[in-house]
Amino acid sequence: MNPLYYPDNQGFYGDFGGAFIPEMLYPNIHELQENYLSILESKEFVEQYSKLLTDYVGRPTPLYLAKNLSERYHTNVWLKREDLAHTGSHKINNTVGQVLLAKKLGKNRIIAETGAGQHGVATATVCALMNMECIVFMGETDMKRQAPNVARMKMLGAEVQPATSGSKTLKDATNEAIRYWINHPNDTHYIIGSVVGPHPYPDLVARLQSIISKEITVQLLGLTGRSSPDAVIACVGGGSNAAGAFFHFLKTPDVLLIGAEAAGEGVNTGRTAASLHQGSRGIIHGSMTMLMQDKNGQITEPHSISAGLDYPGIGPLHAQLFVTGKAKYYPITDNEALKAAFLLSRLEGIIPALESAHALAVLDHIHFDPGQHVVINLSGRGDKDLSTFLQNLDNYASVR
Amino acid sequence: MHPLDKLFKTKEKEILSIYFTAGYPTRESTARILELLGRHGADLIEVGLPFSDPLADGPVIQHSSQVALSQGITISEIFDQMKSANVHKPLVLMGYLNPVLQYGFEDFLFDAAAAGACALILPDLPAEVFVANYKSLYEKYNIYPVFLISPQTSDERIHMLDSLSRGFLYAVSSSSTTGKAERFGESQKLWFDRLKALKLKNPVLAGFGIHNHNTLRFVFDHLPGAVVGSAFIKNLDPEQNDYGIPGFMKQLLNT
Ligand SMILES: Cc1ncc(COP(=O)(O)O)c(C=O)c1O
């Protein structure tokens, strides 16, 4: 097995990963560890999963040559349109797979955490489709700034539980989901929304998201005659859309893999979510990874304008890609992301999610040549962020 | 002789352990709480090291941890407070792995032993990682490792965790986070009877949800001992010089 994209049997990518969980969660996590690969690789699962991705999610999502953006940056910019997947982001690739998995494990209730609300909506959607009870934990701060997604979850019949501890964002919602799981171990499956958490979640979610890079290889070949681009760029909260976009290129040495993490107001301002640039090794949500903490090992409160990136940790796969230099990570500020969101809206008629806008902003940091092909994973659409965009409309009125 | 071995040699039943979060209700309260507990019926004391993200804890311990941290408490300061306390009961440290890792695992064990701690409970330290990386360090500093088991834990795994634990084994009373005050009934009885039948090497102390005399009595009727945490913390009264501890202990033990 290639240690780069698959963890070892204890869930470690090099030094990162593992399952640092209290004993109360052991039976659930162990059950998943023992069963996820055989279920994911079973003929029945593969058929059901790919049929749903095609008929229900609307895959493959287009790989679109953004001509105006390409002209602006003097290179070929391709957008992988995850924003066009059902529910408006890549998150549904994971939830379709995990609800199927939960069914096969005999569970009848699904819980999930959500930051931007995209994972919550994607979970609520598939639960509605497959008749599962659904509870989504969401930080109070995020419920306010991503209100449209709260409404969508309710419309879909899910229960939304506010997380009121800490900074009332994604980390706190994840804590609450884990605590709920400890209290309801038998009938409940926890769908983590990113490549974070204890083993096997990082691997499970990466595999389910790897459909993104699989499609890119096929689409790019058809469109350009080559199956790998020069660079792939994706934003990194926990890192699931990036893991999915990188996956099939991890073994291709000449593809530049670039993650954009949220710098917030700036890496050194104390108001940041740049877990790789500001963080150090430690344990968060059951995983050894890079995270933001003080010298006493207390996890610090992150800040990002983007709820989906407002997390003090990062998936262990990315921590490993970072320390080995196999992927490069750029910190992108709130303002750079806003500017990139306005630019894409005005140049291409596509309003990106604030998360995805971080990936777009990398184009201002790296020079690509006119002959090169750069794929940006447009992880989601920006409807949920309209109120934030409108608050900043005056500052970016002249962007085009 | 190790303080826990001594305790379990002299007392085989109705062993009461009290858990509290160090640095709560005030930053300086740890030493005084230890002394009061020592005088009012605790047989051993679990000193909780506050963590920003206590995954296995319910609202009461989340709150006490948050308050303690916002008041600036650190592990080194807790060690100093333990040293200054005039208490002669076994002191067990309970916390989460990340702060211990940042302190440095070996430094932590060294300083913990110097502060008078004799055992350590880290709920998120997996047994496999303990064996591979830390077991010999615990032995070097004579700090006993104590592992948690839950009603969901298989018999085979209970035996494994029992063999790794020294001093005692910590059984959570039901599948829950800390502080869920339920009435104890048939499911706890089945769980405790199952533990008895397993003939474990260590005495078993049950914790989580024991909140009054009745629930304490229930555990004492089935197992050697019990741990009271959230209920104790909830009743700490910062307005009183003795934090209301003697009164709480009297009610709890019904003496
Ligand atoms: C559109 C979108 N992109 C990206 C993310 C970040 O998550 P990840 O890093 O797991 O892809 C989110 C999370 O909410 C999101 O909604």
Side-chain angles (χ1 to χ4, degrees), chain A residues 88-91 114-119 146 170 193-195 205 209 235-243 306-309 318 353-356 378-381 384:
Chain A
S89 84
H90 68 291
K91 296 284 183 186
T114 196
Q118 288 300 127
H119 175 58
Q146 309 277 244
L170 183 53
S194 192
V195 287
V205 178
Q209 291 293 0
C235 68
V236 184
S240 69
N241 87 87
S306 140
L309 307 185
H318 291 289
L354 263 171
E355 291 77 18
S356 322
L378 199 69
S379 58
R381 69 178 186 223
K384 68 186 179 58

PDB file of all heavy atoms in Angstrom, chain A residues 88-91 114-119 146 170 193-195 205 209 235-243 306-309 318 353-356 378-381 384, ligand 1:
ATOM      1  N   GLY A  88     -25.048  21.644  -3.715  1.00  0.00           N
ATOM      2  CA  GLY A  88     -24.168  22.785  -3.893  1.00  0.00           C
ATOM      3  C   GLY A  88     -22.759  22.674  -3.373  1.00  0.00           C
ATOM      4  O   GLY A  88     -22.080  23.697  -3.260  1.00  0.00           O
ATOM      5  N   SER A  89     -22.312  21.477  -3.064  1.00  0.00           N
ATOM      6  CA  SER A  89     -20.893  21.324  -2.719  1.00  0.00           C
ATOM      7  C   SER A  89     -20.490  19.865  -2.820  1.00  0.00           C
ATOM      8  O   SER A  89     -21.324  18.980  -2.996  1.00  0.00           O
ATOM      9  CB  SER A  89     -20.595  21.849  -1.312  1.00  0.00           C
ATOM     10  OG  SER A  89     -20.875  20.849  -0.350  1.00  0.00           O
ATOM     11  N   HIS A  90     -19.181  19.648  -2.658  1.00  0.00           N
ATOM     12  CA  HIS A  90     -18.627  18.293  -2.709  1.00  0.00           C
ATOM     13  C   HIS A  90     -19.072  17.438  -1.536  1.00  0.00           C
ATOM     14  O   HIS A  90     -18.891  16.227  -1.551  1.00  0.00           O
ATOM     15  CB  HIS A  90     -17.099  18.380  -2.681  1.00  0.00           C
ATOM     16  CG  HIS A  90     -16.563  18.873  -1.366  1.00  0.00           C
ATOM     17  ND1 HIS A  90     -16.742  20.177  -0.934  1.00  0.00           N
ATOM     18  CD2 HIS A  90     -15.909  18.238  -0.357  1.00  0.00           C
ATOM     19  CE1 HIS A  90     -16.196  20.319   0.268  1.00  0.00           C
ATOM     20  NE2 HIS A  90     -15.689  19.160   0.647  1.00  0.00           N
ATOM     21  N   LYS A  91     -19.622  18.042  -0.497  1.00  0.00           N
ATOM     22  CA  LYS A  91     -19.872  17.297   0.739  1.00  0.00           C
ATOM     23  C   LYS A  91     -20.777  16.087   0.512  1.00  0.00           C
ATOM     24  O   LYS A  91     -20.695  15.096   1.239  1.00  0.00           O
ATOM     25  CB  LYS A  91     -20.500  18.218   1.792  1.00  0.00           C
ATOM     26  CG  LYS A  91     -19.592  19.365   2.235  1.00  0.00           C
ATOM     27  CD  LYS A  91     -18.494  18.902   3.172  1.00  0.00           C
ATOM     28  CE  LYS A  91     -17.642  20.077   3.653  1.00  0.00           C
ATOM     29  NZ  LYS A  91     -16.483  19.650   4.452  1.00  0.00           N
ATOM     30  N   THR A 114     -21.540  20.396  11.489  1.00  0.00           N
ATOM     31  CA  THR A 114     -21.367  21.190  10.277  1.00  0.00           C
ATOM     32  C   THR A 114     -20.866  22.577  10.622  1.00  0.00           C
ATOM     33  O   THR A 114     -21.142  23.088  11.709  1.00  0.00           O
ATOM     34  CB  THR A 114     -22.675  21.246   9.455  1.00  0.00           C
ATOM     35  OG1 THR A 114     -22.394  21.699   8.134  1.00  0.00           O
ATOM     36  CG2 THR A 114     -23.708  22.173  10.099  1.00  0.00           C
ATOM     37  N   GLY A 115     -20.085  23.160   9.707  1.00  0.00           N
ATOM     38  CA  GLY A 115     -19.581  24.511   9.907  1.00  0.00           C
ATOM     39  C   GLY A 115     -20.339  25.458   8.998  1.00  0.00           C
ATOM     40  O   GLY A 115     -21.213  26.218   9.422  1.00  0.00           O
ATOM     41  N   ALA A 116     -20.058  25.366   7.696  1.00  0.00           N
ATOM     42  CA  ALA A 116     -20.745  26.203   6.714  1.00  0.00           C
ATOM     43  C   ALA A 116     -22.197  25.764   6.534  1.00  0.00           C
ATOM     44  O   ALA A 116     -22.998  26.466   5.944  1.00  0.00           O
ATOM     45  CB  ALA A 116     -20.010  26.128   5.382  1.00  0.00           C
ATOM     46  N   GLY A 117     -22.502  24.584   7.016  1.00  0.00           N
ATOM     47  CA  GLY A 117     -23.845  24.057   6.826  1.00  0.00           C
ATOM     48  C   GLY A 117     -23.962  23.186   5.586  1.00  0.00           C
ATOM     49  O   GLY A 117     -24.967  22.514   5.390  1.00  0.00           O
ATOM     50  N   GLN A 118     -22.908  23.163   4.741  1.00  0.00           N
ATOM     51  CA  GLN A 118     -22.986  22.358   3.517  1.00  0.00           C
ATOM     52  C   GLN A 118     -22.976  20.870   3.849  1.00  0.00           C
ATOM     53  O   GLN A 118     -23.720  20.094   3.248  1.00  0.00           O
ATOM     54  CB  GLN A 118     -21.815  22.693   2.578  1.00  0.00           C
ATOM     55  CG  GLN A 118     -21.932  24.039   1.919  1.00  0.00           C
ATOM     56  CD  GLN A 118     -23.182  24.169   1.053  1.00  0.00           C
ATOM     57  OE1 GLN A 118     -23.953  25.098   1.216  1.00  0.00           O
ATOM     58  NE2 GLN A 118     -23.399  23.233   0.148  1.00  0.00           N
ATOM     59  N   HIS A 119     -22.137  20.494   4.804  1.00  0.00           N
ATOM     60  CA  HIS A 119     -22.123  19.082   5.189  1.00  0.00           C
ATOM     61  C   HIS A 119     -23.436  18.720   5.890  1.00  0.00           C
ATOM     62  O   HIS A 119     -23.967  17.630   5.689  1.00  0.00           O
ATOM     63  CB  HIS A 119     -20.928  18.784   6.091  1.00  0.00           C
ATOM     64  CG  HIS A 119     -20.921  17.376   6.614  1.00  0.00           C
ATOM     65  ND1 HIS A 119     -20.919  16.287   5.781  1.00  0.00           N
ATOM     66  CD2 HIS A 119     -20.958  16.886   7.881  1.00  0.00           C
ATOM     67  CE1 HIS A 119     -20.940  15.179   6.518  1.00  0.00           C
ATOM     68  NE2 HIS A 119     -20.972  15.509   7.787  1.00  0.00           N
ATOM     69  N   GLN A 146     -24.598  31.379   8.513  1.00  0.00           N
ATOM     70  CA  GLN A 146     -24.981  30.499   7.401  1.00  0.00           C
ATOM     71  C   GLN A 146     -26.461  30.132   7.517  1.00  0.00           C
ATOM     72  O   GLN A 146     -26.856  28.987   7.298  1.00  0.00           O
ATOM     73  CB  GLN A 146     -24.098  29.240   7.398  1.00  0.00           C
ATOM     74  CG  GLN A 146     -22.617  29.547   7.463  1.00  0.00           C
ATOM     75  CD  GLN A 146     -21.982  29.892   6.127  1.00  0.00           C
ATOM     76  OE1 GLN A 146     -21.124  29.176   5.646  1.00  0.00           O
ATOM     77  NE2 GLN A 146     -22.370  30.991   5.491  1.00  0.00           N
ATOM     78  N   LEU A 170     -17.211  25.335  14.275  1.00  0.00           N
ATOM     79  CA  LEU A 170     -17.093  23.942  13.843  1.00  0.00           C
ATOM     80  C   LEU A 170     -16.471  23.010  14.897  1.00  0.00           C
ATOM     81  O   LEU A 170     -16.939  21.896  15.112  1.00  0.00           O
ATOM     82  CB  LEU A 170     -16.283  23.915  12.545  1.00  0.00           C
ATOM     83  CG  LEU A 170     -16.091  22.575  11.850  1.00  0.00           C
ATOM     84  CD1 LEU A 170     -17.410  21.870  11.619  1.00  0.00           C
ATOM     85  CD2 LEU A 170     -15.373  22.790  10.516  1.00  0.00           C
ATOM     86  N   GLY A 193     -17.678  15.205   8.513  1.00  0.00           N
ATOM     87  CA  GLY A 193     -17.777  15.878   7.222  1.00  0.00           C
ATOM     88  C   GLY A 193     -16.469  16.142   6.528  1.00  0.00           C
ATOM     89  O   GLY A 193     -16.450  16.723   5.443  1.00  0.00           O
ATOM     90  N   SER A 194     -15.367  15.738   7.144  1.00  0.00           N
ATOM     91  CA  SER A 194     -14.097  15.996   6.482  1.00  0.00           C
ATOM     92  C   SER A 194     -13.118  14.871   6.788  1.00  0.00           C
ATOM     93  O   SER A 194     -13.466  13.915   7.474  1.00  0.00           O
ATOM     94  CB  SER A 194     -13.540  17.346   6.927  1.00  0.00           C
ATOM     95  OG  SER A 194     -12.463  17.709   6.087  1.00  0.00           O
ATOM     96  N   VAL A 195     -11.885  15.020   6.303  1.00  0.00           N
ATOM     97  CA  VAL A 195     -10.891  13.957   6.498  1.00  0.00           C
ATOM     98  C   VAL A 195     -10.201  14.126   7.853  1.00  0.00           C
ATOM     99  O   VAL A 195      -8.986  14.110   7.954  1.00  0.00           O
ATOM    100  CB  VAL A 195      -9.861  13.935   5.349  1.00  0.00           C
ATOM    101  CG1 VAL A 195     -10.488  13.376   4.091  1.00  0.00           C
ATOM    102  CG2 VAL A 195      -9.279  15.330   5.079  1.00  0.00           C
ATOM    103  N   VAL A 205     -13.337   9.106   4.370  1.00  0.00           N
ATOM    104  CA  VAL A 205     -13.823  10.293   3.675  1.00  0.00           C
ATOM    105  C   VAL A 205     -12.963  10.588   2.441  1.00  0.00           C
ATOM    106  O   VAL A 205     -13.481  10.956   1.384  1.00  0.00           O
ATOM    107  CB  VAL A 205     -13.883  11.505   4.633  1.00  0.00           C
ATOM    108  CG1 VAL A 205     -14.348  12.753   3.903  1.00  0.00           C
ATOM    109  CG2 VAL A 205     -14.813  11.209   5.820  1.00  0.00           C
ATOM    110  N   GLN A 209     -14.336  10.900  -1.366  1.00  0.00           N
ATOM    111  CA  GLN A 209     -14.154  12.139  -2.131  1.00  0.00           C
ATOM    112  C   GLN A 209     -13.229  11.957  -3.333  1.00  0.00           C
ATOM    113  O   GLN A 209     -13.156  12.840  -4.197  1.00  0.00           O
ATOM    114  CB  GLN A 209     -13.601  13.255  -1.228  1.00  0.00           C
ATOM    115  CG  GLN A 209     -14.565  13.772  -0.166  1.00  0.00           C
ATOM    116  CD  GLN A 209     -15.765  14.525  -0.734  1.00  0.00           C
ATOM    117  OE1 GLN A 209     -15.911  14.683  -1.957  1.00  0.00           O
ATOM    118  NE2 GLN A 209     -16.654  14.973   0.151  1.00  0.00           N
ATOM    119  N   CYS A 235      -9.142  24.438  -1.467  1.00  0.00           N
ATOM    120  CA  CYS A 235      -9.126  24.994  -0.114  1.00  0.00           C
ATOM    121  C   CYS A 235      -9.093  23.855   0.903  1.00  0.00           C
ATOM    122  O   CYS A 235      -9.475  22.727   0.601  1.00  0.00           O
ATOM    123  CB  CYS A 235     -10.351  25.889   0.114  1.00  0.00           C
ATOM    124  SG  CYS A 235     -11.911  24.993   0.161  1.00  0.00           S
ATOM    125  N   VAL A 236      -8.622  24.168   2.099  1.00  0.00           N
ATOM    126  CA  VAL A 236      -8.477  23.152   3.134  1.00  0.00           C
ATOM    127  C   VAL A 236      -9.073  23.648   4.447  1.00  0.00           C
ATOM    128  O   VAL A 236      -8.557  24.568   5.070  1.00  0.00           O
ATOM    129  CB  VAL A 236      -6.987  22.811   3.374  1.00  0.00           C
ATOM    130  CG1 VAL A 236      -6.865  21.683   4.387  1.00  0.00           C
ATOM    131  CG2 VAL A 236      -6.303  22.441   2.090  1.00  0.00           C
ATOM    132  N   GLY A 237     -10.192  23.046   4.830  1.00  0.00           N
ATOM    133  CA  GLY A 237     -10.710  23.267   6.176  1.00  0.00           C
ATOM    134  C   GLY A 237     -10.197  22.083   6.974  1.00  0.00           C
ATOM    135  O   GLY A 237      -9.106  22.093   7.541  1.00  0.00           O
ATOM    136  N   GLY A 238     -10.974  21.002   6.967  1.00  0.00           N
ATOM    137  CA  GLY A 238     -10.449  19.723   7.435  1.00  0.00           C
ATOM    138  C   GLY A 238      -9.636  19.094   6.325  1.00  0.00           C
ATOM    139  O   GLY A 238      -8.679  18.366   6.564  1.00  0.00           O
ATOM    140  N   GLY A 239     -10.052  19.376   5.090  1.00  0.00           N
ATOM    141  CA  GLY A 239      -9.270  18.912   3.952  1.00  0.00           C
ATOM    142  C   GLY A 239      -9.922  17.874   3.069  1.00  0.00           C
ATOM    143  O   GLY A 239      -9.237  17.186   2.325  1.00  0.00           O
ATOM    144  N   SER A 240     -11.266  17.761   3.084  1.00  0.00           N
ATOM    145  CA  SER A 240     -11.868  16.675   2.308  1.00  0.00           C
ATOM    146  C   SER A 240     -11.941  16.966   0.822  1.00  0.00           C
ATOM    147  O   SER A 240     -11.675  16.085   0.007  1.00  0.00           O
ATOM    148  CB  SER A 240     -13.257  16.313   2.849  1.00  0.00           C
ATOM    149  OG  SER A 240     -14.212  17.327   2.623  1.00  0.00           O
ATOM    150  N   ASN A 241     -12.283  18.223   0.450  1.00  0.00           N
ATOM    151  CA  ASN A 241     -12.332  18.461  -0.996  1.00  0.00           C
ATOM    152  C   ASN A 241     -10.921  18.445  -1.570  1.00  0.00           C
ATOM    153  O   ASN A 241     -10.707  17.987  -2.693  1.00  0.00           O
ATOM    154  CB  ASN A 241     -13.140  19.729  -1.319  1.00  0.00           C
ATOM    155  CG  ASN A 241     -12.321  21.012  -1.288  1.00  0.00           C
ATOM    156  OD1 ASN A 241     -11.718  21.376  -2.287  1.00  0.00           O
ATOM    157  ND2 ASN A 241     -12.278  21.693  -0.154  1.00  0.00           N
ATOM    158  N   ALA A 242      -9.951  18.904  -0.779  1.00  0.00           N
ATOM    159  CA  ALA A 242      -8.558  18.859  -1.239  1.00  0.00           C
ATOM    160  C   ALA A 242      -8.082  17.412  -1.351  1.00  0.00           C
ATOM    161  O   ALA A 242      -7.448  17.036  -2.344  1.00  0.00           O
ATOM    162  CB  ALA A 242      -7.663  19.648  -0.288  1.00  0.00           C
ATOM    163  N   ALA A 243      -8.400  16.598  -0.358  1.00  0.00           N
ATOM    164  CA  ALA A 243      -7.994  15.186  -0.423  1.00  0.00           C
ATOM    165  C   ALA A 243      -8.599  14.535  -1.662  1.00  0.00           C
ATOM    166  O   ALA A 243      -7.929  13.783  -2.374  1.00  0.00           O
ATOM    167  CB  ALA A 243      -8.427  14.444   0.839  1.00  0.00           C
ATOM    168  N   SER A 306     -14.784  32.378   6.710  1.00  0.00           N
ATOM    169  CA  SER A 306     -15.477  31.257   6.094  1.00  0.00           C
ATOM    170  C   SER A 306     -15.736  30.168   7.134  1.00  0.00           C
ATOM    171  O   SER A 306     -14.802  29.593   7.700  1.00  0.00           O
ATOM    172  CB  SER A 306     -14.604  30.731   4.949  1.00  0.00           C
ATOM    173  OG  SER A 306     -14.633  29.341   4.918  1.00  0.00           O
ATOM    174  N   ALA A 307     -17.004  29.912   7.399  1.00  0.00           N
ATOM    175  CA  ALA A 307     -17.370  28.970   8.461  1.00  0.00           C
ATOM    176  C   ALA A 307     -16.797  27.578   8.211  1.00  0.00           C
ATOM    177  O   ALA A 307     -16.436  26.864   9.139  1.00  0.00           O
ATOM    178  CB  ALA A 307     -18.889  28.899   8.590  1.00  0.00           C
ATOM    179  N   GLY A 308     -16.700  27.189   6.943  1.00  0.00           N
ATOM    180  CA  GLY A 308     -16.224  25.849   6.626  1.00  0.00           C
ATOM    181  C   GLY A 308     -14.731  25.675   6.825  1.00  0.00           C
ATOM    182  O   GLY A 308     -14.226  24.563   6.850  1.00  0.00           O
ATOM    183  N   LEU A 309     -13.991  26.774   6.935  1.00  0.00           N
ATOM    184  CA  LEU A 309     -12.535  26.688   7.157  1.00  0.00           C
ATOM    185  C   LEU A 309     -12.160  27.104   8.573  1.00  0.00           C
ATOM    186  O   LEU A 309     -10.992  27.120   8.937  1.00  0.00           O
ATOM    187  CB  LEU A 309     -11.785  27.581   6.144  1.00  0.00           C
ATOM    188  CG  LEU A 309     -12.114  27.380   4.666  1.00  0.00           C
ATOM    189  CD1 LEU A 309     -11.202  28.251   3.802  1.00  0.00           C
ATOM    190  CD2 LEU A 309     -11.983  25.927   4.236  1.00  0.00           C
ATOM    191  N   HIS A 318      -3.156  15.677   5.315  1.00  0.00           N
ATOM    192  CA  HIS A 318      -2.559  16.953   4.915  1.00  0.00           C
ATOM    193  C   HIS A 318      -1.363  17.316   5.792  1.00  0.00           C
ATOM    194  O   HIS A 318      -0.393  17.896   5.305  1.00  0.00           O
ATOM    195  CB  HIS A 318      -3.607  18.071   4.961  1.00  0.00           C
ATOM    196  CG  HIS A 318      -4.655  17.913   3.906  1.00  0.00           C
ATOM    197  ND1 HIS A 318      -4.403  18.118   2.570  1.00  0.00           N
ATOM    198  CD2 HIS A 318      -5.950  17.527   3.986  1.00  0.00           C
ATOM    199  CE1 HIS A 318      -5.506  17.883   1.873  1.00  0.00           C
ATOM    200  NE2 HIS A 318      -6.462  17.516   2.700  1.00  0.00           N
ATOM    201  N   ALA A 353     -18.516  29.588  -3.115  1.00  0.00           N
ATOM    202  CA  ALA A 353     -18.543  29.589  -1.652  1.00  0.00           C
ATOM    203  C   ALA A 353     -17.297  30.313  -1.149  1.00  0.00           C
ATOM    204  O   ALA A 353     -16.256  30.308  -1.810  1.00  0.00           O
ATOM    205  CB  ALA A 353     -18.554  28.159  -1.125  1.00  0.00           C
ATOM    206  N   LEU A 354     -17.410  30.941   0.005  1.00  0.00           N
ATOM    207  CA  LEU A 354     -16.244  31.629   0.583  1.00  0.00           C
ATOM    208  C   LEU A 354     -15.072  30.675   0.779  1.00  0.00           C
ATOM    209  O   LEU A 354     -13.911  31.061   0.655  1.00  0.00           O
ATOM    210  CB  LEU A 354     -16.626  32.237   1.937  1.00  0.00           C
ATOM    211  CG  LEU A 354     -17.003  33.711   1.921  1.00  0.00           C
ATOM    212  CD1 LEU A 354     -17.563  34.128   3.270  1.00  0.00           C
ATOM    213  CD2 LEU A 354     -15.782  34.567   1.568  1.00  0.00           C
ATOM    214  N   GLU A 355     -15.378  29.416   1.102  1.00  0.00           N
ATOM    215  CA  GLU A 355     -14.318  28.419   1.265  1.00  0.00           C
ATOM    216  C   GLU A 355     -13.545  28.284  -0.045  1.00  0.00           C
ATOM    217  O   GLU A 355     -12.328  28.440  -0.094  1.00  0.00           O
ATOM    218  CB  GLU A 355     -14.917  27.057   1.658  1.00  0.00           C
ATOM    219  CG  GLU A 355     -15.524  26.980   3.059  1.00  0.00           C
ATOM    220  CD  GLU A 355     -16.900  27.644   3.172  1.00  0.00           C
ATOM    221  OE1 GLU A 355     -17.535  27.854   2.117  1.00  0.00           O
ATOM    222  OE2 GLU A 355     -17.329  27.960   4.293  1.00  0.00           O
ATOM    223  N   SER A 356     -14.306  28.024  -1.123  1.00  0.00           N
ATOM    224  CA  SER A 356     -13.681  27.804  -2.435  1.00  0.00           C
ATOM    225  C   SER A 356     -12.922  29.040  -2.899  1.00  0.00           C
ATOM    226  O   SER A 356     -11.919  28.929  -3.626  1.00  0.00           O
ATOM    227  CB  SER A 356     -14.748  27.455  -3.470  1.00  0.00           C
ATOM    228  OG  SER A 356     -15.749  26.631  -2.902  1.00  0.00           O
ATOM    229  N   LEU A 378     -13.561  23.899  -7.335  1.00  0.00           N
ATOM    230  CA  LEU A 378     -14.572  24.854  -6.874  1.00  0.00           C
ATOM    231  C   LEU A 378     -15.546  24.075  -5.987  1.00  0.00           C
ATOM    232  O   LEU A 378     -16.551  23.563  -6.440  1.00  0.00           O
ATOM    233  CB  LEU A 378     -15.280  25.487  -8.067  1.00  0.00           C
ATOM    234  CG  LEU A 378     -16.004  26.779  -7.730  1.00  0.00           C
ATOM    235  CD1 LEU A 378     -15.021  27.887  -7.405  1.00  0.00           C
ATOM    236  CD2 LEU A 378     -16.905  27.202  -8.871  1.00  0.00           C
ATOM    237  N   SER A 379     -15.197  24.007  -4.694  1.00  0.00           N
ATOM    238  CA  SER A 379     -15.849  23.042  -3.812  1.00  0.00           C
ATOM    239  C   SER A 379     -17.319  23.328  -3.544  1.00  0.00           C
ATOM    240  O   SER A 379     -18.076  22.422  -3.216  1.00  0.00           O
ATOM    241  CB  SER A 379     -15.081  22.955  -2.484  1.00  0.00           C
ATOM    242  OG  SER A 379     -15.018  24.225  -1.869  1.00  0.00           O
ATOM    243  N   GLY A 380     -17.736  24.593  -3.688  1.00  0.00           N
ATOM    244  CA  GLY A 380     -19.147  24.860  -3.411  1.00  0.00           C
ATOM    245  C   GLY A 380     -19.611  26.201  -3.948  1.00  0.00           C
ATOM    246  O   GLY A 380     -18.810  27.048  -4.338  1.00  0.00           O
ATOM    247  N   ARG A 381     -20.908  26.358  -3.941  1.00  0.00           N
ATOM    248  CA  ARG A 381     -21.476  27.603  -4.460  1.00  0.00           C
ATOM    249  C   ARG A 381     -21.759  28.571  -3.309  1.00  0.00           C
ATOM    250  O   ARG A 381     -21.880  28.170  -2.154  1.00  0.00           O
ATOM    251  CB  ARG A 381     -22.726  27.317  -5.270  1.00  0.00           C
ATOM    252  CG  ARG A 381     -23.894  26.847  -4.452  1.00  0.00           C
ATOM    253  CD  ARG A 381     -25.118  26.637  -5.351  1.00  0.00           C
ATOM    254  NE  ARG A 381     -26.278  26.329  -4.537  1.00  0.00           N
ATOM    255  CZ  ARG A 381     -27.166  25.384  -4.831  1.00  0.00           C
ATOM    256  NH1 ARG A 381     -26.996  24.631  -5.905  1.00  0.00           N
ATOM    257  NH2 ARG A 381     -28.209  25.192  -4.060  1.00  0.00           N
ATOM    258  N   LYS A 384     -25.064  30.571   0.187  1.00  0.00           N
ATOM    259  CA  LYS A 384     -25.078  30.636   1.650  1.00  0.00           C
ATOM    260  C   LYS A 384     -24.309  31.834   2.194  1.00  0.00           C
ATOM    261  O   LYS A 384     -24.497  32.231   3.339  1.00  0.00           O
ATOM    262  CB  LYS A 384     -24.483  29.337   2.219  1.00  0.00           C
ATOM    263  CG  LYS A 384     -22.983  29.205   1.927  1.00  0.00           C
ATOM    264  CD  LYS A 384     -22.401  27.878   2.349  1.00  0.00           C
ATOM    265  CE  LYS A 384     -20.925  27.768   2.024  1.00  0.00           C
ATOM    266  NZ  LYS A 384     -20.061  28.794   2.622  1.00  0.00           N
TER     267      LYS A 384
HETATM  268  C1  LIG C   1     -18.009  24.605  -0.042  1.00  0.00           C
HETATM  269  C2  LIG C   1     -17.054  24.102   0.968  1.00  0.00           C
HETATM  270  N1  LIG C   1     -15.771  23.963   0.642  1.00  0.00           N
HETATM  271  C3  LIG C   1     -14.863  23.527   1.531  1.00  0.00           C
HETATM  272  C4  LIG C   1     -15.197  23.233   2.827  1.00  0.00           C
HETATM  273  C5  LIG C   1     -14.124  22.823   3.784  1.00  0.00           C
HETATM  274  O1  LIG C   1     -14.119  21.468   4.085  1.00  0.00           O
HETATM  275  P1  LIG C   1     -13.034  20.483   3.499  1.00  0.00           P
HETATM  276  O2  LIG C   1     -11.693  21.072   3.784  1.00  0.00           O
HETATM  277  O3  LIG C   1     -13.253  19.210   4.241  1.00  0.00           O
HETATM  278  O4  LIG C   1     -13.271  20.322   2.056  1.00  0.00           O
HETATM  279  C6  LIG C   1     -16.537  23.353   3.213  1.00  0.00           C
HETATM  280  C7  LIG C   1     -16.930  23.016   4.596  1.00  0.00           C
HETATM  281  O5  LIG C   1     -17.934  23.320   5.101  1.00  0.00           O
HETATM  282  C8  LIG C   1     -17.474  23.800   2.260  1.00  0.00           C
HETATM  283  O6  LIG C   1     -18.769  23.947   2.584  1.00  0.00           O
END
